[in-house]
Amino acid sequence: MGRDADTRHGGGDRTAAGDGGTLPLPPGTWTLDHHHSSVGFEIRHLGISKVRGRFGEVDATLVVGRTLDDCSVTATVALGSVDTGNADRDAHVRAPDMLDVERRPEMTFRSSRLRGAGAEWAMDGTLTIGEVSREVSFTAEFGGLVDSVLDDRRHCGFEARGEIRRSDFGLGFGAGDALLGDVVKVQLDVQFVEPEAPGA
């Protein structure tokens, strides 16, 4: 493969070293590895336990520039792909009295600022659900940069965590408001694939 099998700490002249200048990754547009990425959430039920779920249809792009100001993350989540492990509950979550996926088919995120160094990062940006947009922040841990034996491409990994209040996005659930918490915790475990070299 012509590269070290494990490059978790960067290295090589192709990596834009994250010494405060930018992310510790080669510059370019990185695409999401859909098979090894997930977006999950949890919300309190009756105030005493948590319901967890995930979204099955997610796309994202990571642009790595020469400086952090040139780096960005964009993501789109199909709200109709919600999966809590219970088909009847999922159908109710999609219904007009909850997410109303006919009116709110997508949730999108666009970063406005990335900051950090080494393994610890933070990301600010705009989250839009339906017609409502709010500023949100995520903490992120850089998992490393490695060669994949599956596609002979380098993959990088991040874990990100944050929380939103559904009331901030107009997600009132009617009678369900008495059952479900307002705070929704969001967990992202994502892999991005290095851009192909020109002429590859």
Side-chain angles (χ1 to χ4, degrees), residues 37-186:
S37 300
S38 65
V39 175
F41 64 89
E42 63 180 47
I43 185 170
R44 284 205 169 271
H45 181 254
L46 297 177
I48 58 173
S49 64
K50 297 176 182 177
V51 173
R52 293 178 172 86
R54 60 184 295 274
F55 293 99
E57 296 179 23
V58 180
D59 199 13
T61 300
L62 168 63
V63 176
V64 180
R66 292 293 178 182
T67 71
L68 281 179
D69 289 340
D70 299 323
C71 298
S72 64
V73 177
T74 57
T76 301
V77 175
L79 294 178
S81 68
V82 64
D83 179 4
T84 66
N86 181 301
D88 290 340
R89 179 169 58 202
D90 294 343
H92 187 201
V93 171
R94 298 184 188 104
D97 61 331
M98 296 194 78
L99 283 181
D100 193 358
V101 298
E102 293 295 324
R103 187 163 66 92
R104 304 182 184 97
E106 293 181 339
M107 172 170 60
T108 62
F109 175 80
R110 292 183 178 275
S111 68
S112 57
R113 182 189 180 200
L114 279 71
R115 59 191 190 279
E120 302 300 324
W121 294 84
M123 177 173 60
D124 305 324
T126 302
L127 183 68
T128 300
I129 303 177
E131 299 178 351
V132 181
S133 298
R134 294 286 185 267
E135 297 303 305
V136 298
S137 295
F138 293 91
T139 59
E141 179 181 350
F142 176 55
L145 173 66
V146 299
D147 285 317
S148 171
V149 298
L150 299 177
D151 57 9
D152 197 25
R153 303 271 294 279
R154 288 202 284 186
H155 290 222
C156 70
F158 290 89
E159 296 181 28
R161 302 289 184 267
E163 61 181 46
I164 64 173
R165 291 186 177 274
R166 57 185 178 84
S167 58
D168 289 343
F169 293 88
L171 296 175
F173 294 162
D177 282 339
L179 306 177
L180 297 171
D182 190 31
V183 174
V184 182
K185 294 185 178 181
V186 182

Side-chain angles (χ1 to χ4, degrees), residues 3-11 14-16 24-26 30 142-148 153-157 192-194:
R3 292 192 289 253
D4 292 339
D6 189 331
T7 53
R8 284 188 175 86
H9 299 291
R14 298 184 62 205
T15 300
L25 297 169
W30 294 63
F142 176 55
L145 173 66
V146 299
D147 285 317
S148 171
R153 303 271 294 279
R154 288 202 284 186
H155 290 222
C156 70
F192 289 98
V193 183
E194 182 180 21

